[in-house]
């Protein structure tokens, strides 16, 4: 972040930092003016190129609730070197990556862990990342600001749908997203695959902002989504928060339930209006069971590119890295399952998760 965005984040959390997190806050405070300086350097060298930038082709957005397989699909699609994605460094240093990314990739690999804390997937500056982090770091409203202050009430939930956001703020948010993606396109010179679960409820606005964009929506059994998402937020709170998490599990669960309802009320309202050649829906269970055929279906339906030229690489991945893929098993209690069926019922019915083969309390989560 730059100083203004950092101060806004601290102010939003009422400066309620835990003493154990002060070293983190001090290090960020020292970095913010450096970000401003580097942003000025980037502007001096790249202003004209960014101003004249165009997308190589319309972006492809991967959407779906957290823990529904969006990261897996994102990682798979960018194996095709004809596509690119915002990288972890670009999302964490969005104001100056055009001048600084090469340096951090070369000399500061040690700053990131080898694995993500929530699911042990590989981490690294060059790995594909959610653009929502970039937007938050650029100072835009984002529900992800909750990660910094998990003990405070959730913030920016209206930005999951834009329904109660005024026109000027919505335009600024969407235009900042467009400019960020254009700068990523300058860096990669390839079509972009973009992934953020937070975009799920923004489908209508994104479809208008990017008239030729295509969307891949992933679903997953809510009995797996729910405990896995709770685990995700707990992991991020422990690793990234400026507060020591208070362990309020009921509040955590209500947050997950509420975000899901907001996102999917907006998604269901919008998905019928997006032409079928621009939007494809896929179940996580099908992607995991047969990733190669699932990818072929995506390529063919959305007309992404020639699949035959990359099929061998995907088959090799499926036979090696994917062969030993296993999910964690958890037991969901009957009371929690009833809450999910009551509050997420339309999702259950629409995607077939209310059928007998999905009614076991034993669920898989990753």
């Amino acid at each position: 972040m730059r100083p203004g965005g950092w101060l806004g984040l601290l102010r939003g959390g009422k400066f309620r930092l835990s003493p154990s997190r002060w070293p983190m806050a001090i290090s960020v405070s020292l970095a913010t003016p450096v970000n401003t300086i580097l942003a000025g350097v980037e502007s001096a060298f790249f202003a004209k190129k960014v101003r004249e930038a165009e997308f190589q082709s319309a972006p492809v957005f991967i959407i779906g609730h957290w823990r529904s397989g969006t990261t897996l699909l994102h990682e798979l699609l960018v194996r095709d070197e004809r596509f690119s994605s915002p990288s972890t460094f670009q999302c964490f240093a969005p104001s100056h990556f055009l001048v600084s990314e090469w340096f951090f990739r070369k000399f500061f690999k040690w700053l990131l862990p080898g694995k993500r804390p929530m699911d042990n997937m590989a981490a690294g500056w060059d790995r594909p990342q959610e653009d929502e982090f970039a937007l938050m770091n650029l100072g835009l409203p984002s529900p992800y600001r909750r990660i910094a202050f998990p003990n405070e009430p959730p913030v920016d939930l209206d930005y999951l749908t834009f329904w109660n956001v005024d026109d000027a703020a919505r335009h600024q948010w969407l235009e900042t997203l467009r400019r960020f993606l254009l700068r990523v396109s300058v860096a990669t010179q390839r079509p972009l695959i973009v992934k953020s679960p937070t975009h799920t409820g923004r489908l209508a606005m994104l479809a208008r902002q990017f008239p030729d964009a295509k969307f891949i929506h992933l679903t997953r059994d809510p009995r797996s989504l729910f405990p896995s998402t709770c685990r995700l937020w707990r992991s991020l709170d422990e690793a990234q928060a400026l507060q020591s998490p208070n362990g309020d599990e009921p509040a955590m669960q209500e947050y997950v339930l509420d975000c899901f309802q907001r996102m999917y009320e907006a998604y269901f309202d919008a998905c019928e209006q997006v032409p079928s050649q621009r939007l494809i829906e896929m179940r996580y269970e099908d992607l995991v069971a047969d990733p190669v055929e699932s990818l072929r279906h995506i390529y063919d339906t959305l007309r992404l590119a020639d699949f035959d030229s990359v099929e061998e690489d995907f088959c090799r991945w499926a036979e090696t890295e994917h062969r030993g893929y296993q999910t964690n098993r958890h037991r969901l209690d009957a009371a929690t399952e009833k809450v999910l069926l009551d509050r997420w019922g339309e999702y259950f019915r629409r995607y077939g998760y209310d059928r007998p083969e999905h009614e076991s309390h034993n669920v898989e989560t990753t």
Side-chain angles (χ1 to χ4, degrees), residues 34-308:
V34 177
N35 290 332
T36 297
I37 293 169
L38 289 173
V41 174
E42 179 182 290
S43 179
F45 283 94
F46 286 91
K48 183 174 185 295
K49 183 173 288 190
V50 170
R51 189 168 55 250
E52 297 174 351
E54 296 181 357
F55 291 114
Q56 302 296 311
S57 65
V60 176
F61 289 88
I62 300 173
I63 56 178
H65 194 268
W66 295 277
R67 316 307 298 142
S68 63
T70 56
T71 297
L72 173 62
L73 181 59
H74 199 198
E75 296 262 359
L76 283 174
L77 287 176
V78 297
R79 289 180 69 90
D80 186 339
E81 295 182 353
R82 292 170 293 186
F83 301 115
S84 64
S85 166
S87 70
T88 295
F89 184 81
Q90 290 164 357
C91 291
F92 289 177
S95 58
H96 57 74
F97 63 83
L98 288 173
V99 295
S100 58
E101 185 169 16
W102 69 271
F103 183 79
F104 274 79
R105 283 192 179 190
K106 186 175 181 63
F107 297 107
F108 286 92
K109 292 181 180 180
W110 53 271
L111 282 175
L112 288 183
K115 301 286 186 180
R116 303 196 319 171
M118 73 289 294
D119 55 16
N120 286 324
M121 291 191 71
W125 290 124
D126 59 338
R127 307 294 292 192
Q129 188 55 263
E130 296 181 28
D131 56 293
E132 186 79 14
F133 288 110
L135 303 176
M136 180 186 67
N137 286 336
L138 288 168
L140 290 182
S142 169
Y144 280 7
R145 294 199 301 132
R146 175 217 160 271
I147 299 171
F149 293 97
N151 301 336
E152 308 303 318
V155 295
D156 299 330
L157 293 183
D158 286 343
Y159 281 83
L160 286 172
T161 64
F162 289 131
W163 278 357
N164 296 314
V165 177
D166 65 69
D167 290 343
R170 183 169 60 243
H171 173 77
Q172 178 189 12
W173 199 100
L174 290 168
E175 185 60 22
T176 303
L177 169 62
R178 189 186 70 86
R179 290 199 303 268
F180 169 71
L181 294 180
L182 279 172
R183 290 170 59 239
V184 174
S185 188
V186 168
T188 66
Q189 295 295 304
R190 286 172 287 164
L192 297 179
I193 307 288
V194 181
K195 168 253 177 175
S196 281
T198 43
H199 288 332
T200 305
R202 303 165 180 162
L203 174 62
M205 299 299 169
L206 292 173
R208 285 200 284 271
Q209 179 74 11
F210 302 93
D212 297 316
K214 298 174 182 179
F215 300 89
I216 307 168
H217 174 238
L218 283 170
T219 69
R220 190 179 184 185
D221 190 331
R223 300 171 184 85
S224 296
L225 276 185
F226 181 73
S228 192
T229 303
C230 291
R231 178 187 176 192
L232 164 70
W233 293 130
R234 285 193 296 268
S235 297
L236 288 173
D237 292 349
E238 289 292 340
Q240 303 293 339
L242 296 170
Q243 296 175 327
S244 297
N246 60 15
D248 188 345
E249 190 64 20
M252 167 75 72
Q253 293 184 0
E254 178 56 35
Y255 177 72
V256 174
L257 291 166
D258 183 39
C259 285
F260 185 103
Q261 287 180 276
R262 290 171 182 261
M263 292 163 62
Y264 275 97
E265 184 179 1
Y267 176 79
F268 292 149
D269 186 63
C271 66
E272 306 297 337
Q273 305 169 33
V274 179
S276 58
Q277 63 268 27
R278 294 183 59 194
L279 171 64
I280 184 173
E281 295 190 321
M282 177 170 292
R283 288 161 43 126
Y284 166 82
E285 293 81 4
D286 296 332
L287 174 63
V288 171
D290 196 340
V292 176
E293 282 307 307
S294 296
L295 289 164
R296 179 186 294 279
H297 181 52
I298 291 171
Y299 273 69
D300 291 346
T301 303
L302 298 181
R303 299 181 180 179
L304 294 186
D306 170 43
F307 184 76
D308 291 342

Side-chain angles (χ1 to χ4, degrees), residues 8-17 145 149 152 155 243:
L9 179 68
L10 294 174
R11 188 185 297 117
K14 301 178 182 178
F15 296 93
R16 292 174 176 166
L17 285 71
R145 294 199 301 132
F149 293 97
E152 308 303 318
V155 295
Q243 296 175 327

